[in-house]
Amino acid sequence: MAEKRTPIKVTDAVQRVMKRSPAGEVERVKIEQVYGRFLGEDLTASHDVPHFDKSPYDGFALKAIDTKTASRETPVTLEVIAEIGAGSVHKGVVQRGEAVRIMTGAQIPAGCDSVVMLELAESFSLERRNFVRINRVYNEGDNISRRGEDTQKGTVLAEKGSYINPGIAALLATFGYKEVPVSVKPKVGVLATGSELLEVGDDLEPGKIRNSNTYMILSQIERAGGKAVYFGQFADDFEVCYQQVVSALQQVDMLITTGGVSVGDYDYLPEIYEKMEAGILFNKIGMRPGSVTTVAEKEGKLLFGLSGNPSACYVGFELLTRPVIRTFLHSPAPFLQSVTGILGRDFKKPNPFTRFVRGSMRFENGRIMAFPSGLDKSSAVASLADTNALIVLPGGTRGYEEGMTVQILLVESQEGLSRMSIDKE
Amino acid sequence: MAEKRTPIKVTDAVQRVMKRSPAGEVERVKIEQVYGRFLGEDLTASHDVPHFDKSPYDGFALKAIDTKTASRETPVTLEVIAEIGAGSVHKGVVQRGEAVRIMTGAQIPAGCDSVVMLELAESFSLERRNFVRINRVYNEGDNISRRGEDTQKGTVLAEKGSYINPGIAALLATFGYKEVPVSVKPKVGVLATGSELLEVGDDLEPGKIRNSNTYMILSQIERAGGKAVYFGQFADDFEVCYQQVVSALQQVDMLITTGGVSVGDYDYLPEIYEKMEAGILFNKIGMRPGSVTTVAEKEGKLLFGLSGNPSACYVGFELLTRPVIRTFLHSPAPFLQSVTGILGRDFKKPNPFTRFVRGSMRFENGRIMAFPSGLDKSSAVASLADTNALIVLPGGTRGYEEGMTVQILLVESQEGLSRMSIDKE
């Protein structure tokens, strides 16, 4: 009891975890199901875009030289020899004095070098022949989207491990990915511990609370890109607990336990790690909340022993588990997006250690503001509803005042950083 | 052909659409599946949190008055009469001279009014009785989390229509929602038109491109919170097209078509709207790209006729369809989050109309920067990969320069606004 633990820095803890953080497999899914997944390989342009010279407008394709003398007073008249829709190709070669009616997106006919927009041309028919009248000069290349103008063949358009947004989905379709290689989601197990915990469907009892951490963590896993697997609550018996952890770990890529890691008498986890001969990466971090966060490793799989209190649990997950999930997904930027902003409200509690305060980041008049949520008691749940950030308050100070510059980690953003850095740790 | 259309303002277009934007139904799902859905009703605290006075630490619960004379030189010794874990309740009433060993989260025993942290107490046994030595003064309430301290019963913790993040999932569990009322996702149909379109699995052909808009839009629908249903491409025949639209509309809550809305000869949609007697809300908007965006209504369902070019299609969806999807989901803030930032790169193209430029919003040294993506040719697809914002450039100017202040709409953010406003429209 009251075993001695040596705290390490947050960045050291993260580094130790990342050293043992494996990348996962790649699978293929239909392009219809690709949104929100992570690319399993670089997305490279397999052809120029556009892959032919095309018209960006509805109008008339022609030879610019034919408009050399055109003006409002002396318009030029050309014969419209054909009409091509998008997807059609004009067979012949257009000659001097000729024009082709062309639709948006259609390929520029051979012989043409510019396009006149429909609105700027006057078309008419005479003796069953069609003509167009042009009243200004056009230059070679006017209103033509050139082959390769948007993207050249071979360009890497999105790196392996990128979060697939609607733009990337469009690129995948453009380059013919009917099936898309995506990163397999890591299976992340969750086991809750705490004899005070009621299940979500239970009525309240004196001294007990409902298990909320589990459902928070399941959502955090999904947000990070993992597949959450809930194994229920720990049993009261040590041997059964031990078996639960061993069995759960076999079924997943990594395992999270909540609670049971502090130095209280009823906390089985340290003993379980010992019995299963898991290597302890650390069991104390110089931060608040979540100082008792423990990470262990067994046969290449990580066990995250997160604190039982909601705030510490939330912070521990985002700092330690999220980058491991993103690394499994091959993300080149597995760490939380970090921005600098202004503290919007005093936070007077003295900080012996680096503190990660749940908070809400907002934009105000072009400035980035961060507001600590509620009381930030470790036990507070209510303040989590509008949490979209962790405010980093380095230790060793008496407290922080409104208007001070702070580092803010964005937990709701799909963007990230390739490297974790904590200001002034 | 070349029918006359009168452009309306973007904000007017949005307003017309929103007036005809219905709210959807509510369904119940298991709490395990709740992440990323939208609350179907207000989430109200059904009890105080905590719902009993509890200990935030492992330690000893006692009467503060017993420590009145305690100091390092003259510690006070109390008898430890019981030990309670979290979830257990001490039966008796603690008397003067007594203490109770208490675990984090456990209910404060009757008679106690403060807690001494385990690390600050020295415990020992003597003749089979347990004692604790305290060497400083404690005050009533020290280290006690009071009933209702985090949240009081009746507090609205998250509004109906809120995006369910991990914090809200935790709250739902705390208040016993084994099943959660969530907004039913609107079914949003997609029909692509364009005779130039190959399907994603097809080989390239001269003059043709693969259908990328559809897969972009499917992802945009999912990101907005809807359920995407793809109905394939339009047939070449008018009558068949008409039947496709009518039949698709019956199966969904709203329908998006891409392409076919401009004034080209092969664009069937205006005729289809007419034949089905759909009410046209507008068929031209004073914006770039996407000026030919058309919205119609038939029997309470909206038909979004988005432009066939990818950029216009993307913008049209985010400005017009997204808020309708969010309204269906009961969101109180259905419009894109808007921030003010600094243009990071020249955008010299003159702007007769308000322009929405796809771009990437980044944080640089505490400033919000926005970079227009690529060339921003209407046809560009490549620049979409890193799009997380639409940069609003009001019309009537010669162009914009690096360093100017601009409005930025955040397309990747789950947060939103209750009201749409375009700067200087």
Side-chain angles (χ1 to χ4, degrees):
Chain A
M1 179 169 137
E3 141 214 12
K4 180 77 186 152
R5 297 182 177 189
T6 311
I8 65 170
K9 283 187 180 181
V10 181
T11 41
D12 290 343
V14 171
Q15 225 163 34
R16 289 191 195 180
V17 169
M18 292 302 284
K19 267 194 195 147
R20 291 161 182 87
S21 182
E25 303 286 311
V26 170
E27 64 183 339
R28 299 182 92 82
V29 299
K30 286 192 182 144
I31 189 170
E32 290 85 350
Q33 291 152 7
V34 94
Y35 173 67
R37 299 296 298 267
F38 291 76
L39 282 178
E41 60 183 43
D42 283 352
L43 168 52
T44 306
S46 54
H47 58 74
D48 289 337
V49 178
H51 67 103
F52 50 87
D53 291 352
K54 71 175 181 186
S55 175
Y57 303 114
D58 277 329
F60 296 89
L62 42 76
K63 290 177 178 297
I65 197 169
D66 281 342
T67 67
K68 209 169 52 176
T69 62
S71 71
R72 203 171 287 273
E73 294 73 33
T74 60
V76 160
T77 299
L78 304 174
E79 178 167 4
V80 180
I81 58 156
E83 176 168 319
I84 49 168
S88 304
V89 176
H90 179 66
K91 300 281 190 269
V93 177
V94 176
Q95 304 297 323
R96 289 289 303 262
E98 296 179 345
V100 171
R101 172 79 177 91
I102 192 169
M103 305 299 158
T104 305
Q107 182 165 336
I108 303 296
C112 295
D113 57 20
S114 50
V115 169
V116 175
M117 288 167 78
L118 190 65
E119 303 88 295
L120 301 177
E122 186 191 340
S123 53
F124 62 95
S125 299
L126 197 69
E127 294 173 0
R128 296 197 170 168
R129 291 163 68 194
N130 296 311
F131 297 91
V132 62
R133 206 174 274 136
I134 314 287
N135 63 12
R136 49 158 281 209
V137 176
Y138 287 84
N139 297 312
E140 217 180 296
D142 279 357
N143 298 324
I144 289 185
S145 293
R146 289 280 175 210
R147 175 177 181 141
E149 180 180 88
D150 292 342
T151 302
Q152 286 180 22
K153 182 175 173 173
T155 310
V156 174
L157 298 165
E159 256 185 290
K160 179 173 175 174
S162 295
Y163 180 81
I164 301 178
N165 62 25
I168 292 180
L171 291 173
L172 289 164
T174 298
F175 296 109
Y177 287 87
K178 193 173 178 178
E179 297 204 312
V180 180
V182 297
S183 305
V184 171
K185 294 183 178 200
K187 278 192 207 152
V188 185
V190 178
L191 254 172
T193 139
S195 41
E196 79 283 18
L197 296 183
L198 301 167
E199 254 316 330
V200 62
D202 296 339
D203 287 332
L204 282 189
E205 289 176 29
K208 302 206 174 199
I209 57 169
R210 294 199 188 92
N211 171 13
S212 63
N213 279 357
T214 288
Y215 300 96
M216 182 178 78
I217 288 276
L218 297 181
S219 293
Q220 285 177 287
I221 293 168
E222 301 285 335
R223 179 168 71 187
K227 186 172 166 46
V229 187
Y230 181 37
F231 290 101
Q233 294 191 22
F234 264 137
D236 273 339
D237 178 75
F238 175 80
E239 196 54 39
V240 179
C241 282
Y242 169 76
Q243 289 303 338
Q244 280 180 304
V245 172
V246 169
S247 152
L249 189 60
Q250 276 165 359
Q251 300 169 58
V252 296
D253 297 300
M254 60 196 86
L255 181 65
I256 294 171
T257 52
T258 62
V261 287
S262 61
V263 291
D265 291 344
Y266 301 133
D267 292 332
Y268 286 153
L269 271 170
E271 274 179 85
I272 290 176
Y273 294 143
E274 200 179 319
K275 178 159 179 179
M276 65 195 293
E277 294 177 358
I280 306 289
L281 274 53
F282 51 82
N283 58 15
K284 190 148 190 147
I285 307 179
M287 70 172 187
R288 294 286 184 277
S291 64
V292 293
T293 306
T294 298
V295 178
E297 187 203 25
K298 175 69 179 174
E299 287 161 10
K301 291 179 180 177
L302 290 168
L303 293 101
F304 295 90
L306 303 183
S307 165
N309 86 54
S311 165
C313 189
Y314 192 100
V315 168
F317 178 93
E318 294 299 332
L319 295 181
L320 297 162
T321 316
R322 182 189 189 276
V324 172
I325 291 175
R326 287 287 161 105
T327 300
F328 196 97
L329 293 165
H330 305 103
S331 169
F335 299 107
L336 289 172
Q337 174 79 334
S338 168
V339 304
T340 304
I342 309 291
L343 191 63
R345 194 184 294 143
D346 287 353
F347 190 91
K348 291 291 198 182
K349 202 189 290 192
N351 269 354
F353 291 99
T354 303
R355 187 176 283 279
F356 296 87
V357 184
R358 293 159 296 152
S360 147
M361 186 276 270
R362 289 179 233 153
F363 301 104
E364 290 187 1
N365 305 318
R367 296 197 312 169
I368 301 161
M369 307 291 295
F371 298 86
S373 304
L375 291 169
D376 203 60
K377 284 265 183 183
S378 286
S379 55
V381 165
S383 57
L384 283 170
D386 61 355
T387 291
N388 63 8
L390 301 177
I391 306 170
V392 185
L393 301 179
T397 67
R398 280 173 170 276
Y400 286 81
E401 282 168 26
E402 187 181 325
M404 291 176 104
T405 297
V406 289
Q407 183 182 11
I408 307 166
L409 304 174
L410 304 184
V411 295
E412 280 287 336
S413 174
Q414 284 302 342
E415 289 160 45
L417 299 178
S418 59
R419 200 175 143 259
M420 183 180 189
S421 104
I422 302 288
D423 288 358
K424 292 168 262 171
E425 191 186 15
Chain B
M1 180 167 140
E3 138 214 17
K4 180 78 186 152
R5 297 182 178 189
T6 312
I8 65 171
K9 282 186 179 181
V10 181
T11 41
D12 290 344
V14 171
Q15 226 163 33
R16 288 191 194 181
V17 169
M18 291 302 282
K19 267 194 196 146
R20 290 162 182 87
S21 181
E25 303 286 312
V26 170
E27 65 183 337
R28 301 182 90 83
V29 299
K30 287 193 182 142
I31 189 169
E32 289 86 349
Q33 291 152 7
V34 94
Y35 173 67
R37 301 295 298 266
F38 290 76
L39 283 178
E41 59 183 46
D42 283 353
L43 169 52
T44 306
S46 54
H47 59 71
D48 289 338
V49 179
H51 68 103
F52 50 86
D53 292 351
K54 72 176 182 185
S55 175
Y57 302 116
D58 278 328
F60 296 91
L62 43 76
K63 288 175 179 297
I65 196 169
D66 282 344
T67 68
K68 210 169 53 175
T69 62
S71 71
R72 204 169 285 271
E73 295 73 33
T74 61
V76 160
T77 299
L78 304 175
E79 179 167 3
V80 180
I81 59 158
E83 176 168 319
I84 49 170
S88 303
V89 176
H90 180 63
K91 299 280 192 267
V93 177
V94 175
Q95 304 297 321
R96 290 287 306 262
E98 295 178 348
V100 170
R101 172 80 176 87
I102 192 169
M103 305 299 158
T104 305
Q107 182 164 339
I108 304 296
C112 295
D113 57 19
S114 51
V115 169
V116 174
M117 288 168 78
L118 191 66
E119 303 90 295
L120 302 177
E122 186 193 336
S123 51
F124 61 95
S125 298
L126 196 69
E127 294 173 0
R128 297 198 170 169
R129 291 163 68 193
N130 296 312
F131 297 91
V132 62
R133 207 174 273 137
I134 314 287
N135 63 12
R136 51 157 279 209
V137 177
Y138 287 83
N139 297 310
E140 220 179 293
D142 278 357
N143 298 324
I144 290 187
S145 293
R146 289 282 175 208
R147 174 178 182 142
E149 180 179 270
D150 291 343
T151 302
Q152 286 179 21
K153 182 176 173 173
T155 309
V156 174
L157 299 165
E159 257 184 291
K160 179 174 175 173
S162 296
Y163 180 80
I164 300 178
N165 62 25
I168 292 181
L171 292 172
L172 289 165
T174 298
F175 298 109
Y177 287 87
K178 193 173 179 178
E179 297 204 312
V180 180
V182 298
S183 305
V184 171
K185 294 183 178 200
K187 277 192 208 153
V188 185
V190 177
L191 253 173
T193 140
S195 41
E196 79 281 20
L197 295 183
L198 300 166
E199 254 317 330
V200 61
D202 296 340
D203 286 332
L204 282 189
E205 290 175 27
K208 302 206 174 202
I209 58 169
R210 294 199 188 92
N211 171 11
S212 64
N213 279 355
T214 286
Y215 301 96
M216 181 179 78
I217 287 276
L218 297 182
S219 293
Q220 286 178 286
I221 293 168
E222 301 284 335
R223 179 168 72 184
K227 187 172 166 46
V229 187
Y230 180 38
F231 290 101
Q233 293 191 22
F234 265 135
D236 271 339
D237 178 74
F238 175 80
E239 196 55 38
V240 179
C241 281
Y242 170 75
Q243 289 303 338
Q244 280 180 306
V245 172
V246 169
S247 151
L249 190 60
Q250 277 165 359
Q251 301 170 56
V252 296
D253 297 300
M254 61 196 86
L255 182 65
I256 294 170
T257 51
T258 62
V261 287
S262 60
V263 292
D265 292 343
Y266 301 134
D267 292 333
Y268 286 154
L269 270 171
E271 274 179 84
I272 289 177
Y273 294 143
E274 200 179 319
K275 176 158 180 180
M276 67 195 291
E277 294 178 357
I280 307 290
L281 275 53
F282 50 82
N283 58 15
K284 189 146 190 152
I285 307 179
M287 69 173 191
R288 293 287 183 278
S291 65
V292 293
T293 305
T294 299
V295 178
E297 187 204 27
K298 175 68 178 175
E299 288 161 11
K301 292 179 178 176
L302 290 169
L303 293 101
F304 295 90
L306 303 182
S307 165
N309 87 52
S311 165
C313 188
Y314 192 99
V315 167
F317 178 92
E318 295 299 332
L319 296 182
L320 297 163
T321 316
R322 182 189 189 275
V324 171
I325 291 175
R326 286 288 161 104
T327 301
F328 195 96
L329 293 165
H330 305 105
S331 169
F335 299 106
L336 289 172
Q337 174 79 334
S338 168
V339 305
T340 304
I342 309 291
L343 192 65
R345 195 183 296 142
D346 287 352
F347 189 91
K348 291 290 197 185
K349 201 189 291 195
N351 269 354
F353 292 99
T354 303
R355 186 176 285 278
F356 296 87
V357 184
R358 293 159 297 152
S360 147
M361 186 276 270
R362 289 181 233 152
F363 301 104
E364 289 187 0
N365 305 317
R367 296 196 312 170
I368 302 161
M369 306 291 295
F371 299 86
S373 305
L375 292 169
D376 203 57
K377 283 264 183 185
S378 287
S379 54
V381 164
S383 57
L384 282 170
D386 61 355
T387 291
N388 62 9
L390 301 177
I391 306 171
V392 185
L393 302 178
T397 67
R398 281 174 168 278
Y400 286 81
E401 282 169 23
E402 188 181 325
M404 291 176 106
T405 297
V406 288
Q407 182 182 12
I408 307 166
L409 303 175
L410 305 184
V411 296
E412 278 287 337
S413 175
Q414 284 303 340
E415 289 161 43
L417 298 178
S418 59
R419 202 175 141 259
M420 181 178 191
S421 103
I422 303 287
D423 288 357
K424 293 170 261 169
E425 194 188 13

